[in-house]
Amino acid sequence: MAEETGQEKSEEPTAKKLEDSRKKGQIARSRELNTVVMLLSGATGMIFLGDNIAEGLWQLMEGQFSLERDAIFDEKAVVRHFDHAITDALMMIAPFLGLMLAAAFVGPIFMGGWSFSAESMAPKLEKLDPIKGLGRIFAVRGLVELAKALLKFILVAGATVLLFNYYINDFLGLPREELEKAIPHIADLVMLAFLLLSASLLLVVAVDVPFQLWDHRRKLKMTLQEVKDEMKETDGRPEVKSKIRSMQIEMAQGRMMEEVPKADVIVTNPTHYAIALRYDQNGSGAPRVVAKGTELIAAKIRNLGLNAGVTLVAAPPLARAIYYSTKIDQEIPAGLYLAVAQVLAYVYQVEAANSQGSEMPTPPVDLEIPKEYVR
């Protein structure tokens, strides 16, 4: 996309970009780290396990060439001996193979962690493009690979010269040693040289790992437009968010309107505000707001209340005070207890008058509203 828009990839990759690249198998890897870990593990394993493996193989070979007379004329004896030899050999080298298997996983886990992606294993025809291949050769990565190859040659060659000069007397003295002593001696020298030569490549690893991390981060960088597009996809496009918000508001209003017929009283402005209150006389809480609204919503609350037989009380200061101080399904504040109590008392008097056919009470006027609730 950067090529299409001409924008520079100057933005750091987002968390989503990093996660998506990880799912695709695009993780920073260092072949040099993996190689050195394998070499050092192999050298260390041979130093500690080599003697046992060599002794076991010697005994195995000696046993295979020391056959009893009956076994020589037994046609099945060869198969049995071969089967036993393979089993014994595998058991002897199993610890070394286990060490190498563990080393094969250690390198990738140290850098980037473990990840499996079928997508990264799929063949890509674009890699066969010779033009792009030449571009990769002369790119920064190609130059770094060339520099690493030269550095490895110099390190291994230099370490070889130093080791040979240091152990020259040992090598020259091998022909004068007895065979039984010379073989273990030369094996120790070879294993020690192998370990030291492998360790010399740690300098290559120290260069390659930071470069691979930097190069991986550079490839994942994003343009400003890509960041904006991702934010839209993650947070939702404005038109979709607006639609969802309107649906949520509509659903909330629907649930609110279902509670209006259950209210004890609707306090009105009388036209701009409407607040439906319900009071549980058997409970211990204060009156609770079950619905509230202004303008069209207020008109709908009033209509629903009238149809359900809920008493409407015009008390503009109280209606505004409750509207701005109390949320839906929340108890009214203590400062409005007295005013609401007077309204509820009037409602109960109206209900009693209707049931008894007596004279209707006078609606409450001049309700006392604390200054902090006046709107």
Side-chain angles (χ1 to χ4, degrees), residues 27-247:
I27 301 176
R29 295 297 192 204
S30 172
R31 287 181 295 179
E32 308 303 334
L33 174 62
N34 299 339
T35 301
V36 171
V37 170
M38 292 289 291
L39 289 174
L40 290 176
S41 299
T44 305
M46 290 305 298
I47 289 175
F48 289 99
L49 303 174
D51 291 343
N52 293 333
I53 293 176
E55 183 179 353
L57 292 176
W58 178 267
Q59 293 177 356
L60 180 64
M61 183 178 294
E62 190 178 50
Q64 294 305 309
F65 283 102
S66 301
L67 300 178
E68 297 181 358
R69 185 176 183 280
D70 296 339
I72 296 176
F73 296 97
D74 187 353
E75 296 179 355
K76 298 181 180 180
V78 176
V79 178
R80 289 197 302 270
H81 276 272
F82 182 75
D83 181 52
H84 292 158
I86 292 297
T87 303
D88 293 342
L90 289 176
M91 293 299 294
M92 279 184 285
I93 65 174
F96 181 77
L97 293 178
L99 175 64
M100 297 307 296
L101 179 63
F105 289 96
V106 167
I109 290 175
F110 276 167
M111 187 173 179
W114 176 252
S115 176
F116 177 81
S117 174
E119 184 175 346
S120 63
M121 299 173 63
K124 296 181 179 179
L125 296 179
E126 63 181 16
K127 291 186 176 180
L128 301 178
D129 188 345
I131 303 300
K132 291 185 177 180
L134 289 174
R136 287 193 292 268
I137 291 175
F138 295 102
V140 175
R141 173 174 284 275
L143 296 176
V144 172
E145 293 297 328
L146 176 61
K148 287 193 299 183
L150 293 175
L151 180 60
K152 284 189 284 186
F153 173 78
I154 294 173
L155 289 174
V156 173
T160 301
V161 172
L162 292 175
L163 286 172
F164 184 77
N165 289 334
Y166 187 80
Y167 290 106
I168 187 170
N169 294 330
D170 294 88
F171 283 110
L172 294 177
L174 287 174
R176 295 191 295 270
E177 295 183 7
E178 297 180 2
L179 183 60
E180 295 181 356
K181 294 182 179 180
I183 292 178
H185 189 187
I186 194 171
D188 291 340
L189 289 175
V190 170
M191 288 299 101
L192 181 60
F194 181 30
L195 177 63
L196 294 177
L197 289 175
S198 301
S200 68
L201 296 177
L202 288 173
L203 181 59
V204 181
V205 174
V207 174
D208 187 57
V209 169
F211 169 75
Q212 296 298 339
L213 293 173
W214 170 82
D215 189 54
H216 176 68
R217 198 82 178 185
R218 178 184 63 83
K219 289 179 179 178
L220 293 181
K221 278 192 172 183
M222 307 167 67
T223 65
L224 185 60
Q225 185 61 42
E226 288 175 332
V227 175
K228 291 180 179 179
D229 292 341
E230 184 181 290
M231 290 179 63
K232 289 181 180 179
E233 293 177 2
T234 304
D235 300 334
R237 297 188 178 276
E239 58 272 18
V240 177
K241 291 173 65 177
S242 176
K243 182 65 176 178
I244 294 174
R245 190 181 303 111
S246 62
M247 291 177 63

